[in-house]
Amino acid sequence: MVELKTDTSIDAMHKAGQVVARVLTALSKAADVGVCLLELDALARDMLREEGAASPFLGYRPSFAPTPFPAVLITSVNDVIVHGIPTRYRLRDGDLLSLDFGAELNGWVGDSALSMIVGRPRPADVRLIETAERALAAGIEAAVVGNRIGDIAHAVGTVCREAGYGIPDGFGGHGVGRRMHEDPSVPNEGRPGRGMRLRAGMVLAIEPMVIAGGTDGYHAAGDGWTLRTNDGSRAAHVEHTVAITEAGPRILTQR
């Protein structure tokens, strides 16, 4: 069931989203050559406490996961698409790092992700991230009253496919509200004019994921969480929490 949020609820979600935005901004500045992924998770935990917020990630266990998620931050490096668990790995020059973070404040959740290059960028990685960001912008532009979920999916998928990139099947965006994952599902590829009609008060996490090698295959690592590309190519992941309003899409996690 899809819960339509009131203007007051959306304002409260914006406050949670701005916690997410501030933390991701700080993390992106802290992520440098030699920094340990666990150090980034520790920074995120400290900032959550300072903001008086909680983590919707820590302890989360969906049906596919063998164990609860052990961190407040998702750190996906190079060929990891999503769900990378922070480890003692130290970032290296040229790493492609995706950071996915959520916060719960006063009962409402915000969820967002960014991808960045640590140290000296490779042109191919710059193009990959820019494409993911363009796909996100296209998805947000389609998130208007009267459109359908398929219009968002088509907008995202078209940008990714035209650039020659793969899209991991079965993973995409979702509703957000009192819980991190709510109805409806928001695929990253689909047919326009299909699916649930968009109404004012819906709040969605729109999150393109792109695979540089152009194939869609992926597999879960031994921890049961980390999803890696089958071809070993790099991946990028970006995300915003977006409210659908009569005035147009409102990005609640804008940095």
Side-chain angles (χ1 to χ4, degrees):
M1 186 179 76
V2 175
E3 177 193 359
L4 299 181
K5 279 73 175 179
T6 65
D7 291 345
T8 300
S9 297
I10 291 173
D11 286 342
M13 290 191 70
H14 180 254
K15 292 179 181 178
Q18 287 308 291
V19 172
V20 175
R22 287 191 289 272
V23 174
L24 280 176
T25 296
L27 292 171
S28 66
K29 293 176 180 178
D32 204 351
V33 176
V35 172
C36 174
L37 298 180
L38 283 173
E39 292 171 351
L40 295 178
D41 184 66
L43 173 60
R45 289 174 190 249
D46 288 344
M47 291 191 69
L48 274 176
R49 283 193 293 270
E50 291 169 1
E51 295 276 4
S55 172
F57 290 9
L58 183 64
Y60 182 61
R61 188 179 182 183
S63 59
F64 67 82
T67 58
F69 196 75
V72 304
L73 174 67
I74 291 172
T75 53
S76 302
V77 181
N78 295 333
D79 66 326
V80 176
I81 306 167
V82 286
H83 300 166
I85 296 174
T87 65
R88 296 186 182 279
Y89 177 83
R90 293 194 175 276
L91 293 167
R92 301 173 182 174
D93 189 36
D95 276 347
L96 196 165
L97 172 66
S98 297
L99 300 171
D100 188 354
F101 182 73
E104 180 181 343
L105 184 69
N106 298 323
W108 296 101
V109 173
D111 187 11
S112 184
L114 61 82
S115 287
M116 59 174 288
I117 300 162
V118 178
R120 291 169 294 183
R122 303 192 308 182
D125 292 340
V126 173
R127 178 174 176 267
L128 183 70
I129 294 172
E130 288 179 345
T131 299
E133 291 174 343
R134 284 195 296 108
L136 176 58
I140 293 171
E141 187 176 0
V144 295
V145 173
N147 269 1
R148 294 183 180 270
I149 291 292
D151 295 309
I152 298 176
H154 179 71
V156 170
T158 297
V159 172
C160 300
R161 293 299 189 191
E162 288 182 349
Y165 296 135
I167 301 171
D169 184 44
F171 286 88
H174 48 88
V176 186
R178 293 287 186 181
R179 294 176 290 110
M180 179 170 57
H181 289 137
E182 297 184 350
D183 292 332
S185 174
V186 186
N188 283 330
E189 193 166 30
R191 297 177 63 183
R194 298 296 181 92
M196 181 180 294
R197 190 173 296 279
L198 304 179
R199 299 169 60 189
M202 295 174 69
V203 181
L204 307 174
I206 301 173
E207 49 179 320
M209 305 166 195
V210 288
I211 299 173
T215 61
D216 300 348
Y218 62 89
H219 62 277
D223 59 27
W225 276 99
T226 304
L227 298 184
R228 296 185 178 274
T229 62
N230 281 351
D231 61 9
S233 66
R234 294 186 169 196
H237 171 216
V238 294
E239 175 185 20
H240 272 309
T241 297
V242 181
I244 297 172
T245 77
E246 293 291 355
R250 179 183 177 187
I251 303 173
L252 305 183
T253 49
Q254 185 71 57
R255 293 181 293 276

